[in-house]
Amino acid sequence: EPGSLDPRCFCISSMRLATCLAVLALATGCAAFAPPLAVGSAGLAPHRMALSRAAASPPTLRMSASPSGDAEGSSRRDLLQAALLAPLALSHFGGKVQPASAKGRVRVPFLLYDDLKKLVEKDPDFGPTLVRLAWHSSGTYDKMSKTGGSSKGTIRFKEELSHGANAGLDKAVERLEPLKDKFFLVSYADLYTLAGKIAIETLGGPEIPWKEGRVDSMDPSDVTPDGRLPDADKGNSKDTASHLREIFGRMGFNDQELVALAGAHALGRCHKEASGYVGPWSPTPTMFNNAYFTLLLNLEWTGSDEKGKFQYKDPTDKLMMLPSDIVLIEDPKFKKYVELYAKDAKKFDEDFAAAFGKLLALGTDIPTPSTDPK
């Protein structure tokens, strides 16, 4: 009714609005909500520095009780602020309410899921690179020493990017920087692993279980020694098979999980400037499927070093396999899983999703991942 509300209730000062936007930015992890305050001498806006320091224990917005103990509970001003902020928050989270994260960890905004999906849809060839980035940022885990894994986002450091197996991944790290700037409270470790999950799903793969909560290291000394990722060739089949079991066993994977993870080679291709190997594993390098296993079993593979390092080629010389791929059909214990996944695509999807989700969580103390992040 006219006159029933104090007109001053509708006047939110610029300082209060800036505070509300800062709190919303902290709660969502999205820089888009951060108020445009002055940039400090360090080149980082003071409100962002404060939000980053407070990220471990984000505040919650509460509607305060009326000083008079009014049964209606909240003051009109608080109600108006909540009404103003609610559409922004709901829009940011895709119309869904985002629950608080355990242990004060920053929740990943739903808009980041959408932005990563759009990135892969716009450039499907970038999708396999994101899978590789997620895999290599996680596959350094050592279950005995409890070091490495995806928990600290160390693959962004030049010390880790310089490892031989990571050749070319500096470009992927750089390409994700705009998203890191936009969602500045989301850790690099969460960003890289989530990017791999979204890439697989966008390219037709199964839903990968994933949970946020990784906290970035700021110390390059946390980078693990070079050599923790698998080599493609150890000179002969026996040594290559032993090497694969040693590397994947160190992470906590068995033979079945090893073979299931190898199925990611359905995506992408090798580049001579990065690895010394050349070519795609399948004729559909931007489609996730079980073609890797059917091709391994059903085509004739001939060894050749004419393109650089020793690799295998199919009769058309359009497809390739690495020595570490061929060993999967030469070792009887590996081959039975190759045969299983070649004839049962659904089983492959299920086992791959479980193994890749496990890979992305290596080195973290994150609760068992859910297959539904929303």
Side-chain angles (χ1 to χ4, degrees):
E1 297 179 3
S4 63
L5 289 178
D6 187 337
R8 288 174 296 177
C9 290
F10 294 96
C11 298
I12 301 177
S13 70
S14 59
M15 181 62 72
R16 183 178 293 276
L17 180 58
T19 301
C20 290
L21 289 173
V23 170
L24 187 59
L26 176 59
T28 62
C30 182
F33 292 119
L37 302 182
V39 176
S41 60
L44 181 66
H47 71 287
R48 291 196 178 186
M49 291 189 287
L51 289 173
S52 296
R53 288 193 296 269
S57 55
T60 56
L61 291 175
R62 292 187 176 89
M63 294 182 289
S64 60
S66 170
S68 63
D70 192 330
E72 294 181 1
S74 302
S75 70
R76 290 169 177 166
R77 180 172 296 175
D78 288 332
L79 287 170
L80 285 169
Q81 287 182 16
L84 286 168
L85 288 173
L88 290 173
L90 288 176
S91 173
H92 180 64
F93 292 128
K96 299 177 183 292
V97 176
Q98 181 93 332
S101 177
K103 296 186 179 181
R105 288 166 169 148
V106 175
R107 293 303 302 262
V108 171
F110 296 131
L111 284 181
L112 177 54
Y113 287 75
D114 294 336
D115 284 359
L116 285 168
K117 183 177 181 180
K118 290 175 183 176
L119 182 63
V120 177
E121 288 175 337
K122 183 177 181 181
D123 183 5
D125 287 323
F126 187 48
T129 304
L130 292 176
V131 176
R132 180 172 170 240
L133 177 64
W135 165 201
H136 285 212
S137 70
S138 307
T140 58
Y141 183 63
D142 183 337
K143 66 181 182 181
M144 298 300 293
S145 65
K146 307 296 184 184
T147 57
S150 70
S151 64
K152 298 181 178 180
T154 56
I155 201 169
R156 74 189 192 279
F157 293 133
K158 67 180 187 301
E159 289 83 356
E160 188 163 338
L161 285 172
S162 67
H163 292 176
N166 294 332
L169 287 179
D170 56 325
K171 298 176 182 177
V173 167
E174 181 179 357
R175 194 166 173 184
L176 288 177
E177 276 299 308
L179 288 181
K180 174 60 177 171
D181 290 340
K182 181 178 180 181
F183 302 97
F184 64 98
L185 288 180
V186 175
S187 68
Y188 282 105
D190 274 349
L191 175 61
Y192 297 155
T193 51
L194 178 60
K197 162 190 164 66
I198 297 299
I200 288 170
E201 295 171 0
T202 305
L203 297 177
E207 185 175 4
I208 306 298
W210 181 89
K211 199 81 171 179
E212 74 277 286
R214 297 161 187 80
V215 179
D216 289 333
S217 167
M218 299 300 165
D219 187 355
S221 68
D222 285 327
V223 172
T224 55
D226 195 0
R228 288 197 176 185
L229 295 171
D231 290 332
D233 189 4
K234 285 298 183 181
N236 59 69
S237 296
K238 182 179 178 180
D239 289 345
T240 301
S242 295
H243 169 72
L244 292 178
R245 287 193 172 95
E246 177 184 352
I247 293 293
F248 282 86
R250 189 205 68 230
M251 290 184 265
F253 292 113
N254 58 31
D255 281 1
Q256 182 173 13
E257 292 169 317
L258 184 162
V259 176
L261 288 171
H265 281 174
L267 298 174
R269 62 177 62 237
C270 289
H271 300 272
K272 189 171 184 178
E273 64 274 17
S275 65
Y277 298 102
V278 183
W281 287 268
S282 86
T284 55
T286 58
M287 293 177 58
F288 189 94
N289 50 42
N290 68 335
Y292 169 76
F293 300 109
T294 59
L295 293 169
L296 260 179
L297 288 173
N298 298 320
L299 294 184
E300 181 179 350
W301 298 98
T302 304
S304 172
D305 59 2
E306 60 189 26
K307 295 183 179 180
K309 289 185 177 180
F310 181 83
Q311 62 184 61
Y312 291 83
K313 62 180 181 180
D314 78 322
T316 68
D317 197 21
K318 294 181 179 179
L319 304 179
M320 60 82 66
M321 290 286 172
L322 302 171
S324 55
D325 297 313
I326 296 299
V327 78
L328 299 184
I329 56 175
E330 293 178 333
D331 183 292
K333 293 181 180 179
F334 288 149
K335 187 176 181 180
K336 65 180 181 180
Y337 297 117
V338 174
E339 293 171 336
L340 171 64
Y341 297 143
K343 68 181 181 181
D344 193 338
K346 183 178 179 181
K347 175 64 173 172
F348 167 56
D349 281 354
E350 292 173 352
D351 288 355
F352 178 84
F356 201 76
K358 176 179 174 179
L359 172 71
L360 298 183
L362 291 178
T364 73
D365 60 353
I366 297 171
T368 302
S370 167
T371 56
D372 184 5
K374 301 179 183 179

